[in-house]
Amino acid sequence: MANHTLPPRARRRAERGPSRSGLVLRAGFGVVAVLAIVLVVGLLVGGAPSPAAQQGGSGAGSAPVATAVDPASLQESTTYTTLQGTVPDPAPQGITDGRVAHPVRETLVHDAPDGTPIARMPVTQIGDTWLPVIGQQGEWAQVLLPSRPSSSTGWLPLADLDVKTTPYRIAVHLGSRTLALYEGGAKLAEWTVGIGKPSAPTPTGRTFLLGAFSDDQQQYSPVILPLGTHSPTHDTFGGGPGTVAIHTWPTDDVLGTATSDGCIRVPADALRQLTEVPLGTLVTIDEA
């Protein structure tokens, strides 16, 4: 595994716009801007990036905070942070209805609807922030979070969210070492992939496409797709937080093997298709 990870935050330069040139998305809510030139070592494990084809509605206004917590005292919920008070994913292999949420302003993550604030959710991190919606109670949406612990969830007020729908889903099967891309429930393509070695396995559970970036310090992948999950064995890697990602590799002999440090190594044609999948799209990883 190379030091192919997202850089430490203070040294990261990322494009912050709402669209990313060169990525044409079929589901219709535009192209998310994310390609960044990364300057140092970074965050992704396992030889460790996407955009938007979605449609839906949005809310306006800001929901009141239920408890007297100073927002400035709370961490941001990003791949770089470890949060306290999160709720574990209640259905680690569940399939969602495709809704994804983008905070239209910085908003607070709560441990329950009208519950205790536990973090701040920024509008952008590795590009625009898009999170899978896994549940709803009244005017609150439960989302998967990008922070440690992996498979953490939190609740966001719908009033602070732009909610859209993606038809895509990515399924990674560690047992067969395959990755499948679905659209509207139909399998579009399937590829043989490389996965984490026994000493640094690819984590299971459901996660999501967190972002996309390029790194001119490495040659193994033109684009890297970090996920909203982390290595169970690497607390850090290359100076970053050990985020798992999808990317290519210079040689095809890694495909079908368990030799990475947790990342998912895919063929070049797979990466080309996956970079057209909207950010926030659900990714399920299982042992099948």
Side-chain angles (χ1 to χ4, degrees), residues 66-165:
T67 58
V69 173
D70 179 9
S73 69
L74 299 174
Q75 294 188 89
E76 285 188 330
S77 178
T78 73
T79 193
Y80 294 90
T81 57
T82 299
L83 303 180
Q84 303 295 321
T86 59
V87 179
D89 187 352
Q93 292 299 330
I95 304 302
T96 70
D97 60 7
R99 286 182 299 160
V100 293
H102 168 62
V104 297
R105 61 186 66 84
E106 182 179 85
T107 188
L108 297 183
V109 182
H110 297 70
D111 62 358
D114 289 310
T116 302
I118 57 176
R120 294 176 291 118
M121 183 59 67
V123 174
T124 60
Q125 35 193 292
I126 310 169
D128 286 346
T129 300
W130 285 95
L131 309 166
V133 176
I134 64 170
Q136 182 175 339
Q137 284 190 31
E139 295 303 308
W140 293 83
Q142 187 179 22
V143 299
L144 294 178
L145 300 177
S147 310
R148 288 182 186 266
S150 293
S151 300
S152 291
T153 74
W155 292 85
L156 304 176
L158 283 170
D160 288 345
L161 303 177
D162 180 17
V163 179
K164 299 189 182 296
T165 302

Side-chain angles (χ1 to χ4, degrees), residues 14 19 36 42 64-65 91 106-107 112 118 148 150 157 177 183 188 190 219 221 225 229 239 244 271 284:
S19 65
V65 177
E106 182 179 85
T107 188
I118 57 176
R148 288 182 186 266
S150 293
R177 297 173 187 172
E183 181 181 12
L188 293 180
E190 184 175 70
Q219 301 297 321
S221 191
L225 303 173
T229 192
V244 172
L271 186 67
T284 57

